[in-house]
């Protein structure tokens, strides 16, 4: 077993050990999985249909979400990684200057929210009963968290990145649920958030923890456009960068770009643990840690996928609960330390005969 202390010590960063979760309260929770990538946008909300059916809105209906495998973007990703400016099929998204690797913020990015269709920003107001936890988690950056909540409830809804029914529950299901994970991240750590979507948990962590440096990895164009603008509008450009591409691409690097790596990789509602480990462990420094937000299925996932995770170079997955005693539904995370570097299998080269010909060549 790997203890928290071992894990924290192995992670580079000036501050060291993350505060362990306070054991004030432990109770079973609803499945806090929030995204049903494969699910339709709320049809009851006119104008919410995502512009691109490949990037459906998420809604946080746990009953819909549980057991649904997040969409594999392989089918619908715009191949933005190559360095070529990418034609984004999404008509609504504002133009973003295309950097081959790290996208740059667009200047004066126009808001998509107009008077006629704008959702009510007041729907993102912090519910009074959550104010104490929000203050504790965001401290003097609570205003920034509120600005992000408003952005999600307005632009995020209009662009089909979140379902309109999410707006009233943004704080408990999304912002606080992600912010509590900060307790698992050491001071000063570098963090890669894989499959950031609309910025969860990456942007929340950047707001709650100005000591962290974050890279948000997301392959889908409409989402990275939103992320880039959010980073700019929230004034987070110093600590947050947006990488458009898949985790596998980020880890592989290219001729023009070094492979990305970090002390901590986070992911929420992205993929089952075995697949997630395959994507995320290569993004970690040796001894770094994957912190995957999971729902009620976390223990089952550990039972099912431990062997695969270890084969991929990870330690034994551990389950932790974050925010106990602070929020009503603590977040469940699975953590995996990158213990060994496992090289991906290369396909065997065909054998050549003496004459230099491949066997079977004519
Ligand atoms: C269900 S959404 C979750 C978004 C966000 N993490 C949240 O909790 O709201 C899954 C996200 O993972 C992204 N994704 C899927 N496969 C990925 C991969 N191999 N690398 C990086 N991102 C990926 C998708 O594009 C999508 O935005």
């Amino acid at each position: 077993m790997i203890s928290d202390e071992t894990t924290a010590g192995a992670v580079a960063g000036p501050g060291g050990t993350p505060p362990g979760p306070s054991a004030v309260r432990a109770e079973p929770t609803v499945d806090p999985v929030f995204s049903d990538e494969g699910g339709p946008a709320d049809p009851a909300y006119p104008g919410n249909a995502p512009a691109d059916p490949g990037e459906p809105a998420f809604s946080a209906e746990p009953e819909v979400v549980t057991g649904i495998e997040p969409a594999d973007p392989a089918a619908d990703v715009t191949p933005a990684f190559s360095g070529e400016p990418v034609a984004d099929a999404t008509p609504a998204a504002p133009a973003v200057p295309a950097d081959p690797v790290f996208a740059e913020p667009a200047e004066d990015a126009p808001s998509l929210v107009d008077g006629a269709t704008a959702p009510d920003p007041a729907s993102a107001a912090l519910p009074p009963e959550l104010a104490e936890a929000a203050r504790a988690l965001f401290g003097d950056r609570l205003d920034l968290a509120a600005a992000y909540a408003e952005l999600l409830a307005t632009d995020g809804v209009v662009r089909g990145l979140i379902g309109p029914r999410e707006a009233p529950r943004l704080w408990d299901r999304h912002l606080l649920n992600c912010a509590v994970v900060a307790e698992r991240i050491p001071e000063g750590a570098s963090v890669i958030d894989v499959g950031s979507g609309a910025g969860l948990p990456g942007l929340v962590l950047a707001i709650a923890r100005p000591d962290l440096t974050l890279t948000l990895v997301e392959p889908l164009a409409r989402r990275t456009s939103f992320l880039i603008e959010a980073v700019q509008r929230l004034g987070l450009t110093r600590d947050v960068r947006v990488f458009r591409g898949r985790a596998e691409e980020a880890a592989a690097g290219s001729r023009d770009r070094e492979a990305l790596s970090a002390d901590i990789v986070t992911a929420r509602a992205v993929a089952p643990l075995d697949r997630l480990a395959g994507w995320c462990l290569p993004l970690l420094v040796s001894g770094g840690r994957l912190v995957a937000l999971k729902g009620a299925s976390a223990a089952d996932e550990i039972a099912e996928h431990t062997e695969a995770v270890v084969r991929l170079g990870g330690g034994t997955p551990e389950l932790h609960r974050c925010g106990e005693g602070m929020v009503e539904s603590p977040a469940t995370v699975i953590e995996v330390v990158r213990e060994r570097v496992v090289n991906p299998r290369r396909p065997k080269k065909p054998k050549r005969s003496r004459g230099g010909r491949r066997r079977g060549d004519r």
Side-chain angles (χ1 to χ4, degrees), residues 21-34 130 133 137 172-174 176-181 183-184 268 292-296 298 319-334:
S22 63
V24 181
R25 190 150 44 115
E27 58 190 6
T29 63
V30 292
D31 184 344
V33 179
F34 334 82
L130 301 179
L137 289 163
D172 63 339
R173 286 203 176 210
H174 301 289
L176 299 188
N177 176 270
C178 289
V180 293
V181 174
E183 71 188 34
R184 303 296 313 163
R268 190 182 85 149
L293 277 102
K294 291 287 181 181
L319 199 132
H320 294 274
R321 289 161 72 78
C322 307
E324 283 183 318
M326 189 176 266
V327 293
E328 203 181 313
S329 302
T332 306
V333 299
I334 296 178

Side-chain angles (χ1 to χ4, degrees), residues 7 21 42 47 72 101 112 114 137 149 235 241 245 275 305 314:
T7 303
D42 185 350
D72 181 350
V101 181
L112 293 176
D114 62 38
L137 289 163
R241 55 186 183 165
R275 212 183 312 159
H305 297 305

Side-chain angles (χ1 to χ4, degrees), residues 94-118:
V96 175
D99 181 272
V101 181
F102 291 104
E104 293 293 330
E107 285 196 11
D108 300 326
S111 172
L112 293 176
V113 179
D114 62 38
T117 57

